[in-house]
Amino acid sequence: TGQNPQQTVRSLIWNIDGLNSKCQDSKLKQLLMKYDIVGLLETWLPDVNDCDNMLPGYRAFSTAARRIGKRGRCSGGIKVFVRKNVMKYIKHLDSTFPFGVALKIDSALFGQDIIFMIVYLPPENSKAYSANEPNGMWVLEEEVARIRNRYPNFEFIISGDMNARTKDEADYILDDSVRHLPLEQYYVPSLFQTPRLSKDLHGEINMHGQHLLQMCKEQDIHILNGRTEGDVCGELTCFTHNGSSIVDYTLASSSLFHKFVKFEILPEDDYTHLPQAFIMNSFSVDDISDEGGDKPASHPRLRFRWSEESLEKLMSENANVMIDRFHDMIDNNDVNEATAILTKVLQDVCLKSK
């Protein structure tokens, strides 16, 4: 039997600023149902079952909002919807982590086993934190380490509102190497060296941002914002009376970057936060559709012509990083992943040069 035609899986992660009043909003539901995995943050819903039936044909997973005072609304809360035809590849990961929902994705979907975490971290010093929770990023780091220990061969995608300010600071170890280590066989350096851009350059990197950057370096997980097709400039994600900023991020293990077809910040400016949307290649999903109904239309076969410009594109920094990953996979005898990386590099070069 041959491999299934390549399909895509679409995800949208959005701080919705309260969900209860929006459950019957037809315009909102029409937008959300274009996606296969939908994560809505700050639902403010104390009951995990509220709004579970908002999107027909989806299964819902939730984290309850926290009540931080005797009066007023609750804080936080997350609702994740997964289209039912994708559910056969996904399991909800039981966890006591209070600020997110974690999904375990089988390798049949993307070719690699993945933990997908959808998170909302309250601002620093928020009353939403208990006495044993110094800050949200600390709690997230602990949870990632715990899951990594339980599933050492899984890669990570982490997406949500992290209330972290990082400017354009590097989230990777510059020139990572084992040349100066006496026990190099115990340390595998990261090949990821791709810089990112950001439109949020005012103010200072806050504590959440410092912890986020450090976690990225330690876990070889990196920010998609500002370095991915669809958002190469690092678009702003949050607009308040105090100003605009980037506090919503999507992170991914470096080995997953080539699977992202597109990442973008959508212009839904009726809300305080803008949604993050990303598309990933998959060879396993049947009947994935843009509107929740029909199969996607077949794509025309593309033809490419090699030119001198193609060589320049091939020698770009991003392509060089991918080629380094290709050699690393060859060294590890991972032929399937090496083939996927090389195919992605050649397709990207051709698409940019046609």
Side-chain angles (χ1 to χ4, degrees), residues 121 124 135-138 140-141 144 158 162-174 190 192 194-198 200-201 203-225 227 246-247 249-252:
L121 305 181
E124 297 173 7
N135 65 65
M137 275 306 306
W138 180 87
L140 177 59
E141 286 179 275
V144 169
I158 305 172
M162 303 177 196
N163 277 298
R165 303 287 295 278
T166 62
K167 301 177 77 169
D168 58 354
E169 191 77 11
D171 58 349
Y172 55 90
I173 300 173
L174 297 174
S190 172
F192 192 93
T194 307
R196 65 187 175 94
L197 299 177
S198 173
D200 182 12
L201 298 176
E204 299 296 328
I205 297 174
N206 63 4
M207 185 177 295
H208 271 198
Q210 294 171 11
H211 278 268
L212 174 60
L213 294 170
Q214 185 61 32
M215 183 184 74
C216 288
K217 295 173 183 178
E218 292 175 355
Q219 298 290 345
D220 197 18
I221 299 172
H222 306 287
I223 298 169
L224 267 66
N225 310 55
R227 57 160 60 108
I246 299 175
V247 294
Y249 298 89
T250 295
L251 323 174

Short mmCIF file of all heavy atoms in Angstrom, two decimals, residues 121 124 135-138 140-141 144 158 162-174 190 192 194-198 200-201 203-225 227 246-247 249-252:
data_model
loop_
_atom_site.label_atom_id
_atom_site.label_comp_id
_atom_site.label_asym_id
_atom_site.label_seq_id
_atom_site.Cartn_x
_atom_site.Cartn_y
_atom_site.Cartn_z
N LEU A 121 -0.89 31.47 31.10
CA LEU A 121 -0.17 31.79 32.32
C LEU A 121 -0.57 33.20 32.77
O LEU A 121 -0.32 34.16 32.03
CB LEU A 121 1.34 31.73 32.09
CG LEU A 121 1.89 30.42 31.52
CD1 LEU A 121 3.41 30.51 31.38
CD2 LEU A 121 1.50 29.24 32.39
N GLU A 124 2.67 38.03 35.91
CA GLU A 124 3.50 37.92 37.11
C GLU A 124 2.81 38.59 38.30
O GLU A 124 2.15 39.62 38.15
CB GLU A 124 4.86 38.60 36.86
CG GLU A 124 5.67 37.95 35.76
CD GLU A 124 6.91 38.75 35.42
OE1 GLU A 124 7.20 39.74 36.13
OE2 GLU A 124 7.60 38.40 34.44
N ASN A 135 5.71 31.73 39.94
CA ASN A 135 5.19 32.39 38.74
C ASN A 135 4.81 31.32 37.74
O ASN A 135 5.18 30.15 37.88
CB ASN A 135 6.21 33.38 38.15
CG ASN A 135 7.47 32.69 37.64
OD1 ASN A 135 7.42 31.91 36.69
ND2 ASN A 135 8.61 32.98 38.28
N GLY A 136 4.06 31.72 36.73
CA GLY A 136 3.51 30.75 35.79
C GLY A 136 4.55 30.01 34.99
O GLY A 136 4.42 28.80 34.74
N MET A 137 5.62 30.71 34.57
CA MET A 137 6.64 30.04 33.77
C MET A 137 7.38 28.99 34.58
O MET A 137 7.76 27.95 34.06
CB MET A 137 7.63 31.07 33.21
CG MET A 137 7.21 31.74 31.91
SD MET A 137 6.78 30.58 30.57
CE MET A 137 8.25 29.56 30.50
N TRP A 138 7.56 29.26 35.86
CA TRP A 138 8.20 28.25 36.73
C TRP A 138 7.35 26.99 36.77
O TRP A 138 7.87 25.87 36.67
CB TRP A 138 8.38 28.82 38.14
CG TRP A 138 9.02 27.89 39.10
CD1 TRP A 138 10.36 27.70 39.31
CD2 TRP A 138 8.35 26.98 40.00
NE1 TRP A 138 10.58 26.75 40.29
CE2 TRP A 138 9.36 26.29 40.72
CE3 TRP A 138 7.02 26.70 40.27
CZ2 TRP A 138 9.06 25.33 41.69
CZ3 TRP A 138 6.71 25.75 41.23
CH2 TRP A 138 7.72 25.07 41.93
N LEU A 140 5.19 26.02 34.47
CA LEU A 140 5.25 25.41 33.15
C LEU A 140 6.55 24.64 32.96
O LEU A 140 6.55 23.51 32.44
CB LEU A 140 5.10 26.47 32.07
CG LEU A 140 5.22 25.98 30.61
CD1 LEU A 140 4.16 24.93 30.30
CD2 LEU A 140 5.11 27.15 29.64
N GLU A 141 7.67 25.22 33.37
CA GLU A 141 8.96 24.53 33.26
C GLU A 141 8.94 23.21 34.02
O GLU A 141 9.44 22.18 33.52
CB GLU A 141 10.06 25.42 33.83
CG GLU A 141 10.45 26.59 32.97
CD GLU A 141 11.53 27.44 33.62
OE1 GLU A 141 11.19 28.31 34.43
OE2 GLU A 141 12.72 27.19 33.34
N VAL A 144 6.80 20.71 31.99
CA VAL A 144 7.51 20.22 30.80
C VAL A 144 8.57 19.20 31.20
O VAL A 144 8.70 18.15 30.56
CB VAL A 144 8.14 21.39 30.03
CG1 VAL A 144 9.09 20.88 28.94
CG2 VAL A 144 7.05 22.27 29.40
N ILE A 158 4.12 24.00 22.29
CA ILE A 158 3.50 24.72 23.41
C ILE A 158 2.98 26.04 22.86
O ILE A 158 3.74 26.82 22.28
CB ILE A 158 4.50 24.98 24.55
CG1 ILE A 158 5.15 23.67 25.00
CG2 ILE A 158 3.81 25.66 25.72
CD1 ILE A 158 6.29 23.87 26.00
N MET A 162 1.37 33.55 27.39
CA MET A 162 2.32 33.27 28.46
C MET A 162 2.69 34.53 29.25
O MET A 162 3.50 34.47 30.17
CB MET A 162 3.57 32.61 27.89
CG MET A 162 3.23 31.32 27.13
SD MET A 162 4.64 30.53 26.37
CE MET A 162 3.80 29.42 25.22
N ASN A 163 2.10 35.66 28.87
CA ASN A 163 2.39 36.92 29.55
C ASN A 163 3.89 37.12 29.73
O ASN A 163 4.37 37.54 30.79
CB ASN A 163 1.66 36.99 30.89
CG ASN A 163 0.22 37.46 30.73
OD1 ASN A 163 -0.04 38.58 30.28
ND2 ASN A 163 -0.72 36.58 31.04
N ALA A 164 4.62 36.77 28.68
CA ALA A 164 6.08 36.88 28.67
C ALA A 164 6.52 37.92 27.65
O ALA A 164 6.00 37.95 26.54
CB ALA A 164 6.71 35.52 28.35
N ARG A 165 7.45 38.76 28.04
CA ARG A 165 8.03 39.74 27.12
C ARG A 165 9.47 39.31 26.85
O ARG A 165 10.28 39.20 27.77
CB ARG A 165 8.01 41.13 27.75
CG ARG A 165 6.61 41.61 28.18
CD ARG A 165 5.75 41.97 26.99
NE ARG A 165 6.26 43.11 26.26
CZ ARG A 165 6.06 44.38 26.60
NH1 ARG A 165 5.37 44.68 27.69
NH2 ARG A 165 6.56 45.37 25.86
N THR A 166 9.80 39.06 25.59
CA THR A 166 11.12 38.53 25.24
C THR A 166 11.89 39.39 24.24
O THR A 166 13.03 39.06 23.91
CB THR A 166 10.99 37.11 24.65
OG1 THR A 166 10.22 37.18 23.44
CG2 THR A 166 10.30 36.16 25.63
N LYS A 167 11.25 40.46 23.73
CA LYS A 167 11.86 41.29 22.69
C LYS A 167 12.34 40.39 21.55
O LYS A 167 11.60 39.51 21.12
CB LYS A 167 12.97 42.15 23.29
CG LYS A 167 12.47 43.07 24.42
CD LYS A 167 13.56 43.87 25.09
CE LYS A 167 13.99 45.04 24.27
NZ LYS A 167 14.87 45.96 25.04
N ASP A 168 13.57 40.55 21.08
CA ASP A 168 14.10 39.65 20.04
C ASP A 168 15.31 38.88 20.56
O ASP A 168 16.18 38.47 19.81
CB ASP A 168 14.45 40.42 18.77
CG ASP A 168 15.49 41.52 19.00
OD1 ASP A 168 15.86 41.76 20.18
OD2 ASP A 168 15.94 42.14 18.02
N GLU A 169 15.33 38.67 21.87
CA GLU A 169 16.43 37.97 22.52
C GLU A 169 16.52 36.52 22.01
O GLU A 169 15.50 35.88 21.74
CB GLU A 169 16.22 37.97 24.03
CG GLU A 169 17.39 37.50 24.84
CD GLU A 169 18.49 38.54 24.97
OE1 GLU A 169 18.25 39.73 24.59
OE2 GLU A 169 19.58 38.18 25.42
N ALA A 170 17.73 36.01 21.88
CA ALA A 170 17.94 34.65 21.39
C ALA A 170 17.32 33.63 22.34
O ALA A 170 17.49 33.72 23.56
CB ALA A 170 19.42 34.37 21.21
N ASP A 171 16.61 32.66 21.77
CA ASP A 171 16.03 31.58 22.56
C ASP A 171 16.78 30.27 22.30
O ASP A 171 16.24 29.19 22.46
CB ASP A 171 14.54 31.41 22.25
CG ASP A 171 14.27 31.13 20.78
OD1 ASP A 171 15.21 31.26 19.96
OD2 ASP A 171 13.13 30.76 20.44
N TYR A 172 18.01 30.37 21.87
CA TYR A 172 18.85 29.21 21.60
C TYR A 172 20.27 29.53 22.08
O TYR A 172 20.64 30.69 22.28
CB TYR A 172 18.86 28.85 20.12
CG TYR A 172 19.26 30.01 19.21
CD1 TYR A 172 20.59 30.22 18.87
CD2 TYR A 172 18.30 30.89 18.72
CE1 TYR A 172 20.96 31.28 18.06
CE2 TYR A 172 18.65 31.95 17.91
CZ TYR A 172 19.98 32.15 17.59
OH TYR A 172 20.34 33.20 16.79
N ILE A 173 21.06 28.50 22.28
CA ILE A 173 22.45 28.67 22.72
C ILE A 173 23.30 29.03 21.51
O ILE A 173 23.37 28.27 20.54
CB ILE A 173 22.97 27.39 23.39
CG1 ILE A 173 22.11 27.04 24.61
CG2 ILE A 173 24.43 27.56 23.80
CD1 ILE A 173 22.46 25.69 25.23
N LEU A 174 23.93 30.18 21.57
CA LEU A 174 24.75 30.63 20.44
C LEU A 174 25.95 29.71 20.27
O LEU A 174 26.69 29.44 21.23
CB LEU A 174 25.22 32.08 20.67
CG LEU A 174 24.11 33.14 20.74
CD1 LEU A 174 24.71 34.48 21.13
CD2 LEU A 174 23.37 33.24 19.43
N SER A 190 22.63 21.46 20.30
CA SER A 190 21.53 21.80 19.40
C SER A 190 22.09 22.45 18.14
O SER A 190 23.01 23.27 18.18
CB SER A 190 20.57 22.77 20.10
OG SER A 190 19.61 23.25 19.18
N PHE A 192 20.14 24.24 16.24
CA PHE A 192 19.24 25.36 15.94
C PHE A 192 19.97 26.69 16.17
O PHE A 192 20.44 26.97 17.27
CB PHE A 192 18.01 25.28 16.83
CG PHE A 192 16.90 26.21 16.42
CD1 PHE A 192 15.89 25.78 15.57
CD2 PHE A 192 16.86 27.52 16.87
CE1 PHE A 192 14.87 26.63 15.19
CE2 PHE A 192 15.85 28.38 16.48
CZ PHE A 192 14.85 27.94 15.65
N THR A 194 18.70 29.76 14.31
CA THR A 194 17.92 30.67 13.47
C THR A 194 17.46 31.89 14.26
O THR A 194 16.68 31.74 15.21
CB THR A 194 16.69 29.96 12.88
OG1 THR A 194 17.12 28.76 12.22
CG2 THR A 194 15.96 30.86 11.90
N PRO A 195 17.91 33.09 13.94
CA PRO A 195 17.46 34.29 14.67
C PRO A 195 16.00 34.59 14.38
O PRO A 195 15.43 34.10 13.41
CB PRO A 195 18.38 35.38 14.13
CG PRO A 195 18.80 34.90 12.77
CD PRO A 195 18.86 33.41 12.86
N ARG A 196 15.40 35.39 15.23
CA ARG A 196 14.00 35.78 15.03
C ARG A 196 13.88 37.30 15.13
O ARG A 196 14.73 37.98 15.72
CB ARG A 196 13.09 35.12 16.06
CG ARG A 196 13.34 35.53 17.50
CD ARG A 196 12.53 34.71 18.50
NE ARG A 196 12.88 35.05 19.86
CZ ARG A 196 12.24 35.95 20.61
NH1 ARG A 196 11.21 36.60 20.10
NH2 ARG A 196 12.64 36.22 21.84
N LEU A 197 12.80 37.80 14.56
CA LEU A 197 12.50 39.23 14.61
C LEU A 197 11.31 39.46 15.53
O LEU A 197 10.52 38.55 15.79
CB LEU A 197 12.21 39.76 13.21
CG LEU A 197 13.35 39.65 12.19
CD1 LEU A 197 12.88 40.17 10.83
CD2 LEU A 197 14.59 40.39 12.66
N SER A 198 11.17 40.69 16.00
CA SER A 198 10.06 41.03 16.87
C SER A 198 9.72 42.51 16.72
O SER A 198 10.63 43.35 16.64
CB SER A 198 10.41 40.73 18.34
OG SER A 198 9.40 41.21 19.21
N ASP A 200 7.99 43.90 19.05
CA ASP A 200 7.84 44.30 20.45
C ASP A 200 9.23 44.50 21.04
O ASP A 200 9.79 43.62 21.69
CB ASP A 200 7.08 43.21 21.22
CG ASP A 200 6.84 43.60 22.67
OD1 ASP A 200 7.06 44.77 23.02
OD2 ASP A 200 6.42 42.72 23.45
N LEU A 201 9.79 45.68 20.82
CA LEU A 201 11.15 45.97 21.26
C LEU A 201 11.21 47.02 22.37
O LEU A 201 12.29 47.36 22.84
CB LEU A 201 12.00 46.43 20.07
CG LEU A 201 12.16 45.39 18.94
CD1 LEU A 201 12.94 46.00 17.78
CD2 LEU A 201 12.85 44.14 19.45
N GLY A 203 10.25 48.49 26.25
CA GLY A 203 10.15 47.88 27.57
C GLY A 203 11.28 46.90 27.81
O GLY A 203 12.24 46.78 27.05
N GLU A 204 11.16 46.18 28.91
CA GLU A 204 12.18 45.23 29.31
C GLU A 204 11.67 43.80 29.23
O GLU A 204 10.46 43.55 29.25
CB GLU A 204 12.63 45.52 30.75
CG GLU A 204 13.23 46.90 30.95
CD GLU A 204 14.53 47.08 30.18
OE1 GLU A 204 15.26 46.08 30.01
OE2 GLU A 204 14.80 48.22 29.74
N ILE A 205 12.59 42.86 29.14
CA ILE A 205 12.23 41.45 29.24
C ILE A 205 11.83 41.16 30.68
O ILE A 205 12.60 41.42 31.60
CB ILE A 205 13.42 40.56 28.82
CG1 ILE A 205 13.78 40.82 27.36
CG2 ILE A 205 13.11 39.08 29.04
CD1 ILE A 205 15.03 40.09 26.89
N ASN A 206 10.60 40.68 30.87
CA ASN A 206 10.14 40.44 32.24
C ASN A 206 10.58 39.07 32.73
O ASN A 206 11.24 38.31 32.02
CB ASN A 206 8.62 40.63 32.34
CG ASN A 206 7.84 39.64 31.49
OD1 ASN A 206 8.41 38.74 30.85
ND2 ASN A 206 6.53 39.79 31.47
N MET A 207 10.20 38.73 33.97
CA MET A 207 10.64 37.47 34.56
C MET A 207 10.09 36.28 33.78
O MET A 207 10.79 35.30 33.55
CB MET A 207 10.21 37.39 36.02
CG MET A 207 10.73 36.14 36.74
SD MET A 207 10.27 36.09 38.49
CE MET A 207 11.19 37.52 39.08
N HIS A 208 8.81 36.37 33.36
CA HIS A 208 8.24 35.30 32.54
C HIS A 208 9.07 35.13 31.27
O HIS A 208 9.32 34.01 30.81
CB HIS A 208 6.79 35.62 32.19
CG HIS A 208 5.81 35.12 33.19
ND1 HIS A 208 4.47 34.98 32.92
CD2 HIS A 208 5.96 34.70 34.48
CE1 HIS A 208 3.84 34.50 33.99
NE2 HIS A 208 4.73 34.34 34.94
N GLY A 209 9.46 36.24 30.66
CA GLY A 209 10.25 36.18 29.44
C GLY A 209 11.61 35.55 29.66
O GLY A 209 12.07 34.74 28.85
N GLN A 210 12.27 35.89 30.76
CA GLN A 210 13.57 35.30 31.07
C GLN A 210 13.44 33.79 31.26
O GLN A 210 14.27 33.02 30.75
CB GLN A 210 14.14 35.94 32.34
CG GLN A 210 14.49 37.41 32.18
CD GLN A 210 14.85 38.07 33.50
OE1 GLN A 210 15.03 37.41 34.52
NE2 GLN A 210 14.95 39.39 33.49
N HIS A 211 12.42 33.36 31.99
CA HIS A 211 12.21 31.93 32.21
C HIS A 211 11.88 31.22 30.90
O HIS A 211 12.31 30.09 30.66
CB HIS A 211 11.09 31.70 33.23
CG HIS A 211 11.53 31.82 34.65
ND1 HIS A 211 11.96 30.74 35.39
CD2 HIS A 211 11.63 32.89 35.47
CE1 HIS A 211 12.29 31.14 36.60
NE2 HIS A 211 12.10 32.45 36.68
N LEU A 212 11.08 31.88 30.04
CA LEU A 212 10.71 31.29 28.76
C LEU A 212 11.94 31.07 27.89
O LEU A 212 12.13 29.99 27.31
CB LEU A 212 9.70 32.20 28.04
CG LEU A 212 9.32 31.80 26.61
CD1 LEU A 212 8.70 30.42 26.58
CD2 LEU A 212 8.37 32.81 26.01
N LEU A 213 12.80 32.08 27.78
CA LEU A 213 14.01 31.97 26.97
C LEU A 213 14.93 30.88 27.51
O LEU A 213 15.52 30.11 26.73
CB LEU A 213 14.74 33.31 26.93
CG LEU A 213 14.00 34.45 26.22
CD1 LEU A 213 14.71 35.78 26.46
CD2 LEU A 213 13.87 34.18 24.73
N GLN A 214 15.03 30.79 28.83
CA GLN A 214 15.89 29.77 29.42
C GLN A 214 15.33 28.36 29.17
O GLN A 214 16.09 27.43 28.86
CB GLN A 214 16.04 30.01 30.93
CG GLN A 214 17.01 29.07 31.63
CD GLN A 214 18.43 29.19 31.10
OE1 GLN A 214 18.86 30.26 30.67
NE2 GLN A 214 19.17 28.09 31.12
N MET A 215 14.00 28.21 29.29
CA MET A 215 13.40 26.91 29.01
C MET A 215 13.63 26.49 27.57
O MET A 215 13.90 25.32 27.28
CB MET A 215 11.89 26.95 29.32
CG MET A 215 11.20 25.60 29.12
SD MET A 215 9.41 25.65 29.35
CE MET A 215 8.90 26.49 27.84
N CYS A 216 13.52 27.44 26.65
CA CYS A 216 13.76 27.13 25.24
C CYS A 216 15.17 26.58 25.04
O CYS A 216 15.37 25.59 24.31
CB CYS A 216 13.57 28.39 24.39
SG CYS A 216 11.85 28.93 24.20
N LYS A 217 16.15 27.20 25.67
CA LYS A 217 17.54 26.76 25.52
C LYS A 217 17.75 25.38 26.14
O LYS A 217 18.45 24.54 25.57
CB LYS A 217 18.47 27.78 26.18
CG LYS A 217 18.47 29.14 25.50
CD LYS A 217 19.29 30.15 26.28
CE LYS A 217 19.23 31.53 25.65
NZ LYS A 217 19.98 32.54 26.43
N GLU A 218 17.16 25.16 27.30
CA GLU A 218 17.37 23.89 28.00
C GLU A 218 16.67 22.72 27.30
O GLU A 218 17.18 21.60 27.29
CB GLU A 218 16.86 24.00 29.44
CG GLU A 218 17.69 24.93 30.31
CD GLU A 218 17.10 25.11 31.70
OE1 GLU A 218 15.98 24.58 31.93
OE2 GLU A 218 17.73 25.76 32.54
N GLN A 219 15.49 22.98 26.72
CA GLN A 219 14.68 21.91 26.15
C GLN A 219 14.80 21.81 24.63
O GLN A 219 14.15 20.94 24.03
CB GLN A 219 13.20 22.12 26.53
CG GLN A 219 12.92 22.09 28.02
CD GLN A 219 13.07 20.70 28.61
OE1 GLN A 219 13.12 19.70 27.89
NE2 GLN A 219 13.13 20.60 29.94
N ASP A 220 15.59 22.68 23.99
CA ASP A 220 15.69 22.73 22.53
C ASP A 220 14.31 22.92 21.91
O ASP A 220 13.93 22.26 20.94
CB ASP A 220 16.37 21.46 21.98
CG ASP A 220 16.86 21.64 20.55
OD1 ASP A 220 16.99 22.79 20.11
OD2 ASP A 220 17.08 20.62 19.86
N ILE A 221 13.56 23.83 22.54
CA ILE A 221 12.24 24.25 22.06
C ILE A 221 12.35 25.73 21.70
O ILE A 221 12.95 26.49 22.46
CB ILE A 221 11.16 24.05 23.15
CG1 ILE A 221 11.07 22.57 23.54
CG2 ILE A 221 9.80 24.56 22.69
CD1 ILE A 221 10.16 22.33 24.74
N HIS A 222 11.74 26.15 20.58
CA HIS A 222 11.98 27.51 20.13
C HIS A 222 10.70 28.19 19.64
O HIS A 222 9.72 27.54 19.29
CB HIS A 222 13.04 27.51 19.04
CG HIS A 222 14.30 26.81 19.46
ND1 HIS A 222 15.19 27.34 20.35
CD2 HIS A 222 14.77 25.57 19.14
CE1 HIS A 222 16.17 26.47 20.56
NE2 HIS A 222 15.95 25.39 19.83
N ILE A 223 10.74 29.51 19.63
CA ILE A 223 9.59 30.35 19.31
C ILE A 223 9.37 30.40 17.81
O ILE A 223 10.30 30.65 17.04
CB ILE A 223 9.80 31.77 19.87
CG1 ILE A 223 9.93 31.73 21.41
CG2 ILE A 223 8.68 32.70 19.45
CD1 ILE A 223 10.42 33.04 22.02
N LEU A 224 8.11 30.16 17.38
CA LEU A 224 7.78 30.29 15.96
C LEU A 224 7.61 31.74 15.55
O LEU A 224 7.95 32.13 14.43
CB LEU A 224 6.49 29.51 15.64
CG LEU A 224 6.66 28.07 15.15
CD1 LEU A 224 7.25 27.19 16.23
CD2 LEU A 224 5.33 27.50 14.66
N ASN A 225 7.06 32.56 16.44
CA ASN A 225 6.81 33.97 16.14
C ASN A 225 8.10 34.63 15.63
O ASN A 225 9.16 34.49 16.23
CB ASN A 225 6.36 34.73 17.38
CG ASN A 225 5.23 34.07 18.13
OD1 ASN A 225 5.33 32.91 18.51
ND2 ASN A 225 4.16 34.81 18.38
N ARG A 227 9.92 34.10 12.94
CA ARG A 227 10.91 33.34 12.17
C ARG A 227 10.26 32.26 11.31
O ARG A 227 10.95 31.35 10.85
CB ARG A 227 11.96 32.71 13.09
CG ARG A 227 11.41 31.80 14.18
CD ARG A 227 12.46 30.84 14.73
NE ARG A 227 13.61 31.45 15.32
CZ ARG A 227 13.89 31.49 16.63
NH1 ARG A 227 13.02 30.94 17.49
NH2 ARG A 227 14.99 32.03 17.08
N ILE A 246 3.91 41.61 22.45
CA ILE A 246 3.82 40.18 22.12
C ILE A 246 3.88 39.41 23.43
O ILE A 246 4.89 39.43 24.13
CB ILE A 246 4.98 39.73 21.21
CG1 ILE A 246 4.96 40.49 19.88
CG2 ILE A 246 4.89 38.22 20.95
CD1 ILE A 246 6.15 40.18 18.98
N VAL A 247 2.78 38.78 23.78
CA VAL A 247 2.74 37.93 24.97
C VAL A 247 2.20 36.55 24.63
O VAL A 247 2.20 35.64 25.46
CB VAL A 247 1.90 38.55 26.11
CG1 VAL A 247 2.55 39.82 26.62
CG2 VAL A 247 0.46 38.82 25.64
N TYR A 249 2.57 33.23 22.31
CA TYR A 249 3.64 32.56 21.57
C TYR A 249 3.22 31.14 21.21
O TYR A 249 2.40 30.52 21.88
CB TYR A 249 4.91 32.45 22.42
CG TYR A 249 5.52 33.75 22.86
CD1 TYR A 249 5.14 34.37 24.05
CD2 TYR A 249 6.51 34.37 22.10
CE1 TYR A 249 5.71 35.56 24.47
CE2 TYR A 249 7.10 35.56 22.51
CZ TYR A 249 6.69 36.15 23.70
OH TYR A 249 7.26 37.32 24.10
N THR A 250 3.86 30.62 20.17
CA THR A 250 3.86 29.19 19.90
C THR A 250 5.30 28.74 19.84
O THR A 250 6.12 29.32 19.13
CB THR A 250 3.13 28.86 18.58
OG1 THR A 250 1.75 29.20 18.71
CG2 THR A 250 3.24 27.38 18.27
N LEU A 251 5.61 27.70 20.61
CA LEU A 251 6.95 27.12 20.67
C LEU A 251 6.90 25.72 20.09
O LEU A 251 5.89 25.04 20.20
CB LEU A 251 7.47 27.05 22.11
CG LEU A 251 7.11 28.18 23.08
CD1 LEU A 251 7.59 27.83 24.47
CD2 LEU A 251 7.73 29.48 22.61
N ALA A 252 8.00 25.28 19.53
CA ALA A 252 8.08 23.91 19.01
C ALA A 252 9.50 23.39 19.13
O ALA A 252 10.47 24.15 19.04
CB ALA A 252 7.62 23.85 17.56
#
